[in-house]
Structures are given as structure tokens and as C-alpha cells.
Amino acid sequence: MQKKIYVVGMFDDATATKVSDAVKAVASVTNVVASCEKSQVLVDYDDAGAEAAINAAISGCGVDVLG
């Protein structure tokens, strides 16, 4: 599955890297692309139940998840 998550608060590449690393650590995530320019995180994952953990990983970096 692939999900595009819009976020607020990811203003620079350092934060995008932090978000990307946090989401990659979530079980079943196979690929992550975090873009501060687009204010979005594109995530590929295998388990539909992982969405809450992905959102929590993003929020844990100080970035607000819009959906």
C-alpha cells in the first residue's frame, strides 16, 4: 500500500530526514520519501494496521499530521 500524508512543521531537510528515519523504523514500512518542499510524507507499507504507528512516528518528531 502507498499513502501520501500531508504534514505541518517539516520546514527543512534535517526535519524531513528525522521524519523519514522514524517512519522507516515502523514495522512493515518498505519505503519513505519525506519532502519539506511539498509538506508531505509518501510511505509504502505492507500492513494496513501500521497507519497509526506511522502517524505516531511522524508526530513524535514534532511534526503535525494533517492526513
Side-chain angles (χ1 to χ4, degrees):
M1 286 179 248
Q2 188 176 69
K3 183 174 183 181
K4 187 183 297 182
I5 303 168
Y6 291 97
V7 298
V8 174
M10 191 168 57
F11 299 116
D12 55 26
D13 289 335
T15 306
T17 299
K18 186 176 175 182
V19 167
S20 180
D21 290 345
V23 174
K24 283 178 188 174
V26 174
S28 84
V29 170
T30 58
N31 189 45
V32 181
V33 177
S35 172
C36 58
E37 291 85 14
K38 295 180 181 179
S39 296
Q40 70 183 25
V41 181
L42 189 60
V43 184
D44 294 319
Y45 57 99
D46 296 329
D47 179 12
E51 289 185 26
I54 292 167
N55 290 342
I58 295 169
S59 296
C61 296
V63 177
D64 295 325
V65 175
L66 297 179

Short mmCIF file of all heavy atoms in Angstrom, two decimals:
data_model
loop_
_atom_site.label_atom_id
_atom_site.label_comp_id
_atom_site.label_asym_id
_atom_site.label_seq_id
_atom_site.Cartn_x
_atom_site.Cartn_y
_atom_site.Cartn_z
N MET A 1 0.84 -1.18 0.00
CA MET A 1 0.00 0.00 0.00
C MET A 1 0.88 1.24 0.00
O MET A 1 2.00 1.20 0.49
CB MET A 1 -0.87 0.03 1.25
CG MET A 1 -2.00 -0.95 1.24
SD MET A 1 -2.91 -0.84 2.79
CE MET A 1 -2.47 -2.43 3.43
N GLN A 2 0.34 2.29 -0.52
CA GLN A 2 1.05 3.56 -0.51
C GLN A 2 0.11 4.63 0.02
O GLN A 2 -1.06 4.65 -0.32
CB GLN A 2 1.53 3.93 -1.90
CG GLN A 2 2.43 5.15 -1.91
CD GLN A 2 2.98 5.43 -3.30
OE1 GLN A 2 2.23 5.82 -4.19
NE2 GLN A 2 4.26 5.19 -3.48
N LYS A 3 0.66 5.49 0.87
CA LYS A 3 -0.15 6.57 1.43
C LYS A 3 0.64 7.87 1.37
O LYS A 3 1.82 7.91 1.68
CB LYS A 3 -0.52 6.25 2.88
CG LYS A 3 -1.42 7.30 3.50
CD LYS A 3 -1.88 6.88 4.87
CE LYS A 3 -2.84 7.93 5.43
NZ LYS A 3 -3.31 7.57 6.77
N LYS A 4 -0.05 8.93 0.97
CA LYS A 4 0.51 10.27 0.98
C LYS A 4 -0.04 10.97 2.21
O LYS A 4 -1.26 11.10 2.36
CB LYS A 4 0.13 11.02 -0.29
CG LYS A 4 0.82 12.36 -0.44
CD LYS A 4 0.35 13.09 -1.69
CE LYS A 4 0.70 12.33 -2.94
NZ LYS A 4 0.30 13.05 -4.17
N ILE A 5 0.85 11.41 3.10
CA ILE A 5 0.45 12.04 4.35
C ILE A 5 0.89 13.50 4.31
O ILE A 5 2.08 13.78 4.16
CB ILE A 5 1.09 11.33 5.55
CG1 ILE A 5 0.71 9.85 5.54
CG2 ILE A 5 0.67 12.00 6.85
CD1 ILE A 5 1.51 9.01 6.51
N TYR A 6 -0.05 14.40 4.44
CA TYR A 6 0.28 15.82 4.48
C TYR A 6 0.58 16.22 5.91
O TYR A 6 -0.08 15.77 6.85
CB TYR A 6 -0.87 16.66 3.91
CG TYR A 6 -1.01 16.46 2.43
CD1 TYR A 6 -1.93 15.57 1.91
CD2 TYR A 6 -0.17 17.13 1.55
CE1 TYR A 6 -2.04 15.35 0.55
CE2 TYR A 6 -0.28 16.92 0.18
CZ TYR A 6 -1.21 16.03 -0.31
OH TYR A 6 -1.30 15.82 -1.66
N VAL A 7 1.61 17.05 6.08
CA VAL A 7 2.08 17.42 7.41
C VAL A 7 2.33 18.92 7.51
O VAL A 7 2.45 19.62 6.50
CB VAL A 7 3.39 16.67 7.75
CG1 VAL A 7 3.17 15.18 7.79
CG2 VAL A 7 4.51 17.02 6.79
N VAL A 8 2.42 19.41 8.75
CA VAL A 8 2.77 20.79 9.03
C VAL A 8 3.92 20.77 10.03
O VAL A 8 3.88 20.02 11.01
CB VAL A 8 1.57 21.57 9.64
CG1 VAL A 8 1.99 22.96 10.08
CG2 VAL A 8 0.43 21.63 8.67
N GLY A 9 4.94 21.57 9.77
CA GLY A 9 6.05 21.69 10.71
C GLY A 9 7.34 21.06 10.23
O GLY A 9 8.34 21.07 10.94
N MET A 10 7.35 20.52 9.02
CA MET A 10 8.56 19.94 8.46
C MET A 10 9.17 20.99 7.53
O MET A 10 8.91 21.02 6.34
CB MET A 10 8.21 18.65 7.70
CG MET A 10 9.40 17.84 7.29
SD MET A 10 8.96 16.17 6.72
CE MET A 10 7.83 16.50 5.37
N PHE A 11 9.96 21.90 8.13
CA PHE A 11 10.41 23.09 7.40
C PHE A 11 11.76 22.96 6.73
O PHE A 11 12.12 23.81 5.91
CB PHE A 11 10.44 24.29 8.35
CG PHE A 11 9.08 24.61 8.92
CD1 PHE A 11 8.85 24.50 10.28
CD2 PHE A 11 8.04 25.00 8.11
CE1 PHE A 11 7.61 24.79 10.81
CE2 PHE A 11 6.79 25.29 8.63
CZ PHE A 11 6.57 25.18 9.99
N ASP A 12 12.55 21.94 7.07
CA ASP A 12 13.89 21.84 6.48
C ASP A 12 14.26 20.38 6.23
O ASP A 12 13.55 19.46 6.65
CB ASP A 12 14.94 22.52 7.38
CG ASP A 12 14.94 21.98 8.80
OD1 ASP A 12 14.55 20.81 9.02
OD2 ASP A 12 15.36 22.72 9.70
N ASP A 13 15.37 20.19 5.53
CA ASP A 13 15.79 18.84 5.17
C ASP A 13 16.16 18.01 6.40
O ASP A 13 15.96 16.80 6.41
CB ASP A 13 16.98 18.89 4.21
CG ASP A 13 16.58 19.37 2.82
OD1 ASP A 13 15.40 19.21 2.45
OD2 ASP A 13 17.45 19.90 2.10
N ALA A 14 16.68 18.65 7.44
CA ALA A 14 17.05 17.92 8.66
C ALA A 14 15.81 17.30 9.30
O ALA A 14 15.84 16.14 9.74
CB ALA A 14 17.76 18.84 9.64
N THR A 15 14.73 18.05 9.35
CA THR A 15 13.48 17.53 9.92
C THR A 15 12.91 16.44 9.01
O THR A 15 12.42 15.42 9.50
CB THR A 15 12.46 18.65 10.13
OG1 THR A 15 13.06 19.68 10.91
CG2 THR A 15 11.21 18.14 10.83
N ALA A 16 12.99 16.63 7.71
CA ALA A 16 12.50 15.61 6.77
C ALA A 16 13.27 14.31 6.95
O ALA A 16 12.68 13.22 6.92
CB ALA A 16 12.61 16.11 5.34
N THR A 17 14.57 14.41 7.16
CA THR A 17 15.39 13.21 7.39
C THR A 17 15.01 12.54 8.70
O THR A 17 14.90 11.31 8.77
CB THR A 17 16.88 13.59 7.39
OG1 THR A 17 17.22 14.13 6.12
CG2 THR A 17 17.76 12.38 7.67
N LYS A 18 14.77 13.33 9.73
CA LYS A 18 14.36 12.80 11.02
C LYS A 18 13.02 12.06 10.90
O LYS A 18 12.86 10.95 11.42
CB LYS A 18 14.24 13.95 12.02
CG LYS A 18 13.95 13.54 13.44
CD LYS A 18 13.95 14.77 14.34
CE LYS A 18 13.55 14.44 15.75
NZ LYS A 18 13.49 15.63 16.61
N VAL A 19 12.07 12.65 10.18
CA VAL A 19 10.76 12.02 9.96
C VAL A 19 10.93 10.73 9.16
O VAL A 19 10.37 9.69 9.51
CB VAL A 19 9.80 13.00 9.25
CG1 VAL A 19 8.56 12.27 8.74
CG2 VAL A 19 9.41 14.13 10.17
N SER A 20 11.72 10.79 8.11
CA SER A 20 11.94 9.62 7.27
C SER A 20 12.54 8.47 8.08
O SER A 20 12.08 7.32 7.99
CB SER A 20 12.87 9.99 6.11
OG SER A 20 13.10 8.89 5.28
N ASP A 21 13.54 8.76 8.89
CA ASP A 21 14.18 7.72 9.71
C ASP A 21 13.19 7.13 10.72
O ASP A 21 13.19 5.92 10.95
CB ASP A 21 15.40 8.29 10.43
CG ASP A 21 16.55 8.59 9.48
OD1 ASP A 21 16.54 8.12 8.33
OD2 ASP A 21 17.47 9.33 9.91
N ALA A 22 12.35 7.97 11.31
CA ALA A 22 11.38 7.49 12.29
C ALA A 22 10.34 6.59 11.64
O ALA A 22 9.97 5.55 12.19
CB ALA A 22 10.69 8.68 12.98
N VAL A 23 9.87 6.97 10.46
CA VAL A 23 8.86 6.16 9.77
C VAL A 23 9.46 4.85 9.26
O VAL A 23 8.82 3.80 9.32
CB VAL A 23 8.20 6.97 8.63
CG1 VAL A 23 7.26 6.10 7.82
CG2 VAL A 23 7.46 8.17 9.19
N LYS A 24 10.72 4.88 8.79
CA LYS A 24 11.37 3.66 8.34
C LYS A 24 11.48 2.62 9.45
O LYS A 24 11.52 1.43 9.19
CB LYS A 24 12.78 3.97 7.82
CG LYS A 24 12.82 4.59 6.46
CD LYS A 24 14.25 4.90 6.05
CE LYS A 24 14.28 5.71 4.77
NZ LYS A 24 15.64 6.15 4.43
N ALA A 25 11.52 3.09 10.70
CA ALA A 25 11.64 2.18 11.84
C ALA A 25 10.34 1.46 12.17
O ALA A 25 10.34 0.49 12.95
CB ALA A 25 12.13 2.96 13.06
N VAL A 26 9.24 1.88 11.57
CA VAL A 26 7.94 1.24 11.82
C VAL A 26 7.89 -0.09 11.06
O VAL A 26 8.24 -0.15 9.88
CB VAL A 26 6.77 2.16 11.37
CG1 VAL A 26 5.44 1.44 11.49
CG2 VAL A 26 6.78 3.45 12.17
N ALA A 27 7.45 -1.13 11.77
CA ALA A 27 7.34 -2.45 11.13
C ALA A 27 6.42 -2.38 9.93
O ALA A 27 5.41 -1.68 9.95
CB ALA A 27 6.81 -3.45 12.15
N SER A 28 6.75 -3.07 8.89
CA SER A 28 6.03 -3.21 7.62
C SER A 28 6.24 -2.05 6.65
O SER A 28 5.75 -2.10 5.53
CB SER A 28 4.54 -3.48 7.82
OG SER A 28 3.81 -2.30 8.00
N VAL A 29 6.96 -1.00 7.05
CA VAL A 29 7.25 0.11 6.13
C VAL A 29 8.39 -0.33 5.21
O VAL A 29 9.43 -0.78 5.67
CB VAL A 29 7.62 1.40 6.89
CG1 VAL A 29 8.15 2.46 5.93
CG2 VAL A 29 6.41 1.92 7.65
N THR A 30 8.17 -0.19 3.90
CA THR A 30 9.18 -0.61 2.93
C THR A 30 9.90 0.56 2.26
O THR A 30 11.01 0.39 1.78
CB THR A 30 8.54 -1.50 1.84
OG1 THR A 30 7.49 -0.77 1.21
CG2 THR A 30 7.98 -2.78 2.45
N ASN A 31 9.27 1.73 2.24
CA ASN A 31 9.91 2.89 1.61
C ASN A 31 9.27 4.16 2.15
O ASN A 31 8.07 4.20 2.41
CB ASN A 31 9.75 2.84 0.09
CG ASN A 31 10.58 3.89 -0.61
OD1 ASN A 31 11.74 4.09 -0.28
ND2 ASN A 31 9.99 4.56 -1.58
N VAL A 32 10.09 5.21 2.30
CA VAL A 32 9.61 6.50 2.78
C VAL A 32 10.29 7.61 2.00
O VAL A 32 11.51 7.57 1.81
CB VAL A 32 9.93 6.71 4.28
CG1 VAL A 32 9.40 8.05 4.75
CG2 VAL A 32 9.40 5.60 5.12
N VAL A 33 9.51 8.60 1.57
CA VAL A 33 10.06 9.82 0.98
C VAL A 33 9.39 10.99 1.69
O VAL A 33 8.19 11.19 1.56
CB VAL A 33 9.81 9.90 -0.54
CG1 VAL A 33 10.34 11.21 -1.10
CG2 VAL A 33 10.43 8.70 -1.25
N ALA A 34 10.18 11.74 2.45
CA ALA A 34 9.66 12.91 3.16
C ALA A 34 10.14 14.16 2.42
O ALA A 34 11.33 14.30 2.15
CB ALA A 34 10.15 12.93 4.60
N SER A 35 9.22 15.04 2.09
CA SER A 35 9.55 16.25 1.34
C SER A 35 9.10 17.49 2.10
O SER A 35 7.90 17.72 2.29
CB SER A 35 8.85 16.22 -0.03
OG SER A 35 9.00 17.46 -0.68
N CYS A 36 10.08 18.29 2.55
CA CYS A 36 9.72 19.53 3.25
C CYS A 36 9.14 20.55 2.26
O CYS A 36 8.28 21.35 2.64
CB CYS A 36 10.92 20.10 4.01
SG CYS A 36 12.36 20.48 3.01
N GLU A 37 9.56 20.50 0.99
CA GLU A 37 9.04 21.42 -0.02
C GLU A 37 7.55 21.20 -0.28
O GLU A 37 6.80 22.14 -0.50
CB GLU A 37 9.81 21.27 -1.34
CG GLU A 37 11.24 21.74 -1.29
CD GLU A 37 12.18 20.65 -0.78
OE1 GLU A 37 11.79 19.47 -0.71
OE2 GLU A 37 13.32 21.00 -0.42
N LYS A 38 7.13 19.93 -0.26
CA LYS A 38 5.73 19.59 -0.53
C LYS A 38 4.92 19.42 0.75
O LYS A 38 3.71 19.21 0.68
CB LYS A 38 5.66 18.31 -1.35
CG LYS A 38 6.26 18.45 -2.73
CD LYS A 38 6.15 17.15 -3.49
CE LYS A 38 6.76 17.27 -4.87
NZ LYS A 38 6.68 16.00 -5.62
N SER A 39 5.58 19.47 1.90
CA SER A 39 4.92 19.23 3.20
C SER A 39 4.17 17.91 3.20
O SER A 39 3.01 17.83 3.60
CB SER A 39 3.98 20.38 3.55
OG SER A 39 4.70 21.57 3.72
N GLN A 40 4.85 16.87 2.73
CA GLN A 40 4.21 15.56 2.68
C GLN A 40 5.22 14.44 2.90
O GLN A 40 6.42 14.62 2.71
CB GLN A 40 3.49 15.34 1.36
CG GLN A 40 4.41 15.17 0.16
CD GLN A 40 3.65 15.03 -1.14
OE1 GLN A 40 2.52 15.48 -1.26
NE2 GLN A 40 4.26 14.42 -2.12
N VAL A 41 4.68 13.31 3.32
CA VAL A 41 5.45 12.09 3.50
C VAL A 41 4.76 11.01 2.69
O VAL A 41 3.57 10.76 2.87
CB VAL A 41 5.52 11.68 5.00
CG1 VAL A 41 6.36 10.43 5.17
CG2 VAL A 41 6.07 12.82 5.85
N LEU A 42 5.50 10.40 1.78
CA LEU A 42 4.97 9.33 0.95
C LEU A 42 5.51 8.02 1.51
O LEU A 42 6.72 7.83 1.61
CB LEU A 42 5.42 9.51 -0.50
CG LEU A 42 4.80 8.61 -1.55
CD1 LEU A 42 3.29 8.78 -1.59
CD2 LEU A 42 5.40 8.91 -2.91
N VAL A 43 4.61 7.12 1.92
CA VAL A 43 5.00 5.89 2.62
C VAL A 43 4.46 4.67 1.90
O VAL A 43 3.28 4.62 1.56
CB VAL A 43 4.45 5.90 4.07
CG1 VAL A 43 4.94 4.67 4.83
CG2 VAL A 43 4.82 7.16 4.80
N ASP A 44 5.33 3.69 1.67
CA ASP A 44 4.92 2.37 1.18
C ASP A 44 5.00 1.41 2.36
O ASP A 44 6.01 1.38 3.07
CB ASP A 44 5.87 1.87 0.09
CG ASP A 44 5.80 2.71 -1.17
OD1 ASP A 44 4.69 3.09 -1.57
OD2 ASP A 44 6.86 2.98 -1.76
N TYR A 45 3.94 0.63 2.57
CA TYR A 45 3.92 -0.30 3.69
C TYR A 45 3.04 -1.50 3.35
O TYR A 45 2.23 -1.46 2.43
CB TYR A 45 3.43 0.39 4.98
CG TYR A 45 2.07 1.04 4.86
CD1 TYR A 45 0.94 0.40 5.33
CD2 TYR A 45 1.93 2.29 4.28
CE1 TYR A 45 -0.31 0.99 5.22
CE2 TYR A 45 0.70 2.89 4.17
CZ TYR A 45 -0.42 2.24 4.64
OH TYR A 45 -1.65 2.82 4.52
N ASP A 46 3.25 -2.59 4.12
CA ASP A 46 2.57 -3.85 3.81
C ASP A 46 1.37 -4.14 4.69
O ASP A 46 0.57 -5.00 4.36
CB ASP A 46 3.56 -5.01 3.97
CG ASP A 46 4.69 -4.91 2.95
OD1 ASP A 46 4.46 -4.41 1.84
OD2 ASP A 46 5.81 -5.35 3.28
N ASP A 47 1.24 -3.48 5.84
CA ASP A 47 0.20 -3.82 6.82
C ASP A 47 -0.70 -2.61 7.06
O ASP A 47 -0.23 -1.58 7.54
CB ASP A 47 0.86 -4.27 8.12
CG ASP A 47 -0.12 -4.62 9.20
OD1 ASP A 47 -1.33 -4.75 8.91
OD2 ASP A 47 0.30 -4.78 10.35
N ALA A 48 -1.99 -2.74 6.76
CA ALA A 48 -2.93 -1.63 6.95
C ALA A 48 -2.99 -1.18 8.41
O ALA A 48 -3.29 -0.02 8.69
CB ALA A 48 -4.31 -2.03 6.47
N GLY A 49 -2.68 -2.07 9.33
CA GLY A 49 -2.68 -1.73 10.74
C GLY A 49 -1.53 -0.83 11.15
O GLY A 49 -1.48 -0.36 12.29
N ALA A 50 -0.61 -0.56 10.25
CA ALA A 50 0.57 0.24 10.57
C ALA A 50 0.30 1.74 10.48
O ALA A 50 1.15 2.53 10.90
CB ALA A 50 1.72 -0.12 9.63
N GLU A 51 -0.84 2.15 9.97
CA GLU A 51 -1.10 3.58 9.77
C GLU A 51 -1.01 4.39 11.06
O GLU A 51 -0.43 5.47 11.07
CB GLU A 51 -2.46 3.79 9.12
CG GLU A 51 -2.48 3.35 7.67
CD GLU A 51 -3.80 3.66 6.98
OE1 GLU A 51 -4.50 4.60 7.40
OE2 GLU A 51 -4.12 2.95 6.02
N ALA A 52 -1.54 3.88 12.15
CA ALA A 52 -1.48 4.59 13.42
C ALA A 52 -0.04 4.74 13.90
O ALA A 52 0.37 5.80 14.39
CB ALA A 52 -2.32 3.89 14.49
N ALA A 53 0.76 3.69 13.72
CA ALA A 53 2.16 3.74 14.12
C ALA A 53 2.95 4.71 13.25
O ALA A 53 3.84 5.41 13.74
CB ALA A 53 2.79 2.35 14.06
N ILE A 54 2.62 4.78 11.97
CA ILE A 54 3.28 5.72 11.06
C ILE A 54 2.96 7.15 11.48
O ILE A 54 3.87 8.00 11.59
CB ILE A 54 2.85 5.45 9.60
CG1 ILE A 54 3.41 4.10 9.12
CG2 ILE A 54 3.28 6.59 8.69
CD1 ILE A 54 2.79 3.60 7.83
N ASN A 55 1.69 7.43 11.74
CA ASN A 55 1.30 8.77 12.18
C ASN A 55 1.96 9.13 13.50
O ASN A 55 2.39 10.27 13.70
CB ASN A 55 -0.22 8.88 12.27
CG ASN A 55 -0.89 8.86 10.92
OD1 ASN A 55 -0.27 9.10 9.90
ND2 ASN A 55 -2.17 8.57 10.91
N ALA A 56 2.06 8.17 14.41
CA ALA A 56 2.69 8.41 15.71
C ALA A 56 4.18 8.70 15.54
O ALA A 56 4.73 9.56 16.23
CB ALA A 56 2.48 7.22 16.63
N ALA A 57 4.83 8.00 14.62
CA ALA A 57 6.25 8.23 14.36
C ALA A 57 6.49 9.64 13.84
O ALA A 57 7.44 10.32 14.24
CB ALA A 57 6.79 7.19 13.37
N ILE A 58 5.61 10.10 12.96
CA ILE A 58 5.72 11.46 12.41
C ILE A 58 5.48 12.49 13.52
O ILE A 58 6.26 13.42 13.69
CB ILE A 58 4.74 11.66 11.24
CG1 ILE A 58 5.12 10.75 10.07
CG2 ILE A 58 4.72 13.12 10.80
CD1 ILE A 58 4.06 10.67 8.98
N SER A 59 4.42 12.30 14.28
CA SER A 59 4.09 13.22 15.36
C SER A 59 5.20 13.27 16.41
O SER A 59 5.46 14.32 17.00
CB SER A 59 2.78 12.81 16.03
OG SER A 59 1.72 12.93 15.12
N GLY A 60 5.85 12.15 16.64
CA GLY A 60 6.94 12.09 17.60
C GLY A 60 8.14 12.93 17.23
O GLY A 60 9.00 13.21 18.06
N CYS A 61 8.19 13.35 15.98
CA CYS A 61 9.28 14.22 15.51
C CYS A 61 8.92 15.69 15.62
O CYS A 61 9.66 16.55 15.14
CB CYS A 61 9.62 13.89 14.05
SG CYS A 61 10.27 12.23 13.82
N GLY A 62 7.77 15.99 16.22
CA GLY A 62 7.34 17.37 16.36
C GLY A 62 6.64 17.94 15.14
O GLY A 62 6.52 19.15 14.98
N VAL A 63 6.18 17.05 14.27
CA VAL A 63 5.51 17.45 13.04
C VAL A 63 4.04 17.04 13.16
O VAL A 63 3.72 15.95 13.61
CB VAL A 63 6.16 16.75 11.82
CG1 VAL A 63 5.43 17.09 10.55
CG2 VAL A 63 7.62 17.13 11.72
N ASP A 64 3.12 17.93 12.78
CA ASP A 64 1.70 17.65 12.86
C ASP A 64 1.20 16.94 11.61
O ASP A 64 1.49 17.38 10.49
CB ASP A 64 0.90 18.94 13.05
CG ASP A 64 1.19 19.63 14.37
OD1 ASP A 64 1.42 18.92 15.37
OD2 ASP A 64 1.19 20.88 14.39
N VAL A 65 0.46 15.86 11.81
CA VAL A 65 -0.11 15.09 10.72
C VAL A 65 -1.48 15.68 10.37
O VAL A 65 -2.34 15.79 11.22
CB VAL A 65 -0.26 13.60 11.11
CG1 VAL A 65 -0.96 12.83 10.01
CG2 VAL A 65 1.09 13.00 11.43
N LEU A 66 -1.66 16.04 9.10
CA LEU A 66 -2.95 16.56 8.64
C LEU A 66 -3.81 15.45 8.04
O LEU A 66 -5.02 15.53 8.04
CB LEU A 66 -2.75 17.66 7.60
CG LEU A 66 -2.02 18.91 8.09
CD1 LEU A 66 -1.88 19.90 6.94
CD2 LEU A 66 -2.75 19.54 9.24
N GLY A 67 -3.18 14.46 7.46
CA GLY A 67 -3.93 13.36 6.87
C GLY A 67 -3.34 12.89 5.59
O GLY A 67 -2.37 13.34 5.12
#
